[in-house]
């Protein structure tokens, strides 16, 4: 990226063509990550990730089958959870008031939706991440071209009290869950995919989650160097027969200035259409109730001391 920038600015005869910011290459990032894994993941981090993957599960299936969901057994449904600039503004305002991001609110609502649908209070899903983390020493890849993407599991284990109570209580739990993730999921990546190659004798970290959640917003598109476009085609090898990370349910939430859309790419071998349709519609209902009710409450409290407002 630096070479391209310097070439362009030189051609335009700009004075700062020789920028002194030099980022790390993809090769350097891979080598540093391998060295990090070889040095040994802390016992606390390993215990954390084992607790995550050994409990909970993806959204419960309607049917159990050993047949693998190849593309011919996958279907897609897309729905606008929020439409218009005002509802999106309400979502962002509510998230800010709760000291979290729209993602935190969305995951809290998803938890309540899954409990509504399947009475499932221990949810395990993979959260897609643009893994441009900066904790690796001497690595700076914020200017490096490449789709640094991965996924790590998030376990949202809540009691029935939180799931049927007010959204703030549930949201607080989700906030703590996201906050406690060590090194933004990179320890999981190392334990799952690199350590087994370096230390075959080590106990493997077995992860059977079949649910992926991908959150993308226009505000974070810069993390992909402005080359990002929402994926409209089916996820390629995430459903390949020999891929241990294949998912039965892919969910992509995309937040724009005037809408929040949700796309579910799901296995018809495991989920009935009415289940996924019900999931999407319940999701939309809970989300709208959440931001409308709480926005009204916030306005009333802030406008006056009169409790009758």
């Amino acid at each position: 990226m630096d070479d391209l920038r310097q070439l362009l600015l030189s051609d335009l005869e700009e004075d700062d063509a020789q920028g002194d910011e030099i980022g790390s290459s993809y090769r350097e990032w891979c080598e540093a990550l391998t060295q990090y894994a070889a040095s040994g993941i802390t016992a606390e981090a390993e215990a954390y990730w084992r607790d995550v993957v050994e409990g909970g599960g993806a959204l419960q299936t309607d049917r159990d089958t050993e047949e693998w969901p190849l593309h011919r057994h996958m279907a897609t449904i897309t729905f606008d959870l929020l439409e218009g600039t005002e509802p999106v503004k309400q979502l962002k305002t509510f998230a800010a008031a709760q000291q979290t991001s729209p993602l935190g609110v969305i995951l809290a609502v998803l938890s309540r939706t899954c409990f509504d649908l399947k009475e499932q209070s221990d949810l395990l899903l993979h959260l897609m991440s643009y893994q441009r983390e900066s904790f690796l020493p001497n690595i700076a890849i914020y200017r490096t071209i490449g789709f640094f993407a991965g996924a790590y599991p998030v376990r949202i284990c809540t009691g029935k009290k939180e799931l049927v109570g007010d959204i703030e209580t549930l949201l607080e739990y989700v906030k703590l869950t996201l906050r406690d993730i060590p090194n933004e999921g990179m320890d999981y990546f190392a334990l799952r995919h690199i350590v087994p190659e370096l230390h075959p004798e080590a106990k493997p970290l077995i992860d059977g989650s079949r649910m992926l959640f991908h959150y993308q917003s226009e505000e974070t598109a810069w993390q992909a160097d402005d080359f990002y476009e929402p994926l409209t085609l089916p996820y390629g090898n995430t459903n390949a027969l020999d891929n241990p990370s294949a998912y039965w349910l892919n969910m992509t939430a995309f937040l724009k200035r005037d809408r929040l859309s949700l796309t579910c790419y799901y296995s018809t071998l495991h989920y009935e259409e009415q289940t996924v349709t019900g999931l999407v519609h319940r999701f939309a209902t809970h989300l709208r109730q959440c931001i409308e009710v709480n926005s009204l409450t916030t306005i009333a409290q802030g406008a006056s001391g009169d409790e009758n407002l």
Side-chain angles (χ1 to χ4, degrees):
M1 192 65 170
D2 290 295
D3 292 339
L4 291 173
R5 176 176 176 274
Q6 290 177 17
L7 179 62
L8 175 62
L9 295 180
S10 295
D11 190 52
L12 296 175
E13 297 182 354
E14 295 279 352
D15 293 335
D16 62 344
Q18 302 299 319
D20 56 0
E21 292 185 46
I22 300 177
S24 306
S25 68
Y26 184 79
R27 177 188 293 274
E28 291 170 332
W29 176 80
C30 291
E31 291 175 346
L33 188 59
T34 302
Q35 293 172 1
Y36 172 77
S39 65
I41 309 299
T42 65
E44 292 80 6
E46 182 173 356
Y48 172 88
W49 288 112
R50 291 196 182 279
D51 179 69
V52 169
V53 300
E54 290 174 1
L59 181 70
Q60 295 175 15
T61 59
D62 298 315
R63 294 182 291 267
D64 292 326
T65 175
E66 295 182 1
E67 186 177 357
W68 208 255
L70 299 176
H71 289 304
R72 63 178 177 273
H73 297 298
M74 303 296 290
T76 303
I77 179 174
T78 299
F79 188 80
D80 286 334
L81 303 176
L82 299 176
E83 295 181 83
T85 56
E86 189 59 32
V88 170
K89 182 180 178 181
Q90 285 181 297
L91 169 62
K92 293 179 179 179
T93 300
F94 175 60
Q98 300 297 321
Q99 299 182 323
T100 187
S101 67
L103 173 61
V105 177
I106 290 170
L107 288 180
V109 173
L110 175 62
S111 300
R112 175 163 291 181
T113 300
C114 291
F115 178 77
D116 242 12
L117 195 65
K118 299 281 189 176
E119 294 190 356
Q120 187 166 346
S121 60
D122 197 346
L123 185 67
L124 181 66
L125 55 85
H126 277 196
L127 188 63
M128 183 170 280
S129 166
Y130 298 111
Q131 296 182 334
R132 293 179 177 270
E133 282 68 24
S134 59
F135 74 93
L136 293 171
N138 304 318
I139 293 295
I141 55 176
Y142 57 93
R143 300 186 65 234
T144 304
I145 289 180
F147 190 58
F148 292 76
Y152 55 82
V154 174
R155 182 184 177 188
I156 305 176
C157 179
T158 54
K160 184 176 180 180
K161 179 180 178 181
E162 289 81 8
L163 286 164
V164 299
D166 59 85
I167 190 64
E168 285 90 348
T169 302
L170 177 58
L171 182 57
E172 191 64 29
Y173 182 87
V174 172
K175 284 167 51 180
L176 294 175
T177 299
L178 295 176
R179 187 196 66 186
D180 291 342
I181 296 173
N183 286 335
E184 300 184 62
M186 295 301 287
D187 288 328
Y188 167 82
F189 180 77
L191 287 166
R192 182 79 169 88
H193 302 288
I194 301 178
V195 171
E197 296 292 330
L198 299 175
H199 305 288
E201 74 285 355
K203 181 182 178 182
L205 185 66
I206 300 174
D207 184 354
S209 177
R210 300 300 184 195
M211 184 176 179
L212 174 70
F213 193 89
H214 179 199
Y215 171 73
Q216 178 64 32
S217 74
E218 292 180 338
E219 296 173 347
T220 58
W222 63 268
Q223 295 183 17
D225 287 330
D226 295 328
F227 290 111
Y228 179 82
E229 288 292 338
L231 189 63
T232 56
L233 297 175
Y235 290 85
N237 65 357
T238 56
N239 289 94
L241 184 61
D242 58 349
N243 184 3
S245 299
Y247 300 99
W248 296 342
L249 178 59
N250 291 276
M251 306 180 73
T252 300
F254 187 43
L255 182 64
K256 297 182 180 181
R257 288 173 296 176
D258 62 348
R259 71 187 60 249
L260 171 64
S261 63
L262 180 69
T263 297
C264 294
Y265 182 59
Y266 65 97
S267 164
T268 58
L269 294 175
H270 298 88
Y271 296 104
E272 296 178 359
E273 180 181 358
Q274 64 183 22
T275 297
V276 180
T277 302
L279 173 72
V280 172
H281 285 283
R282 287 171 185 264
F283 199 128
T285 299
H286 282 311
L287 182 62
R288 291 167 183 170
Q289 290 176 345
C290 167
I291 62 174
E292 289 175 3
V293 171
N294 285 280
S295 294
L296 290 174
T297 302
T298 301
I299 292 172
Q301 291 176 345
S304 167
D306 189 347
E307 296 180 356
N308 295 321
L309 284 179

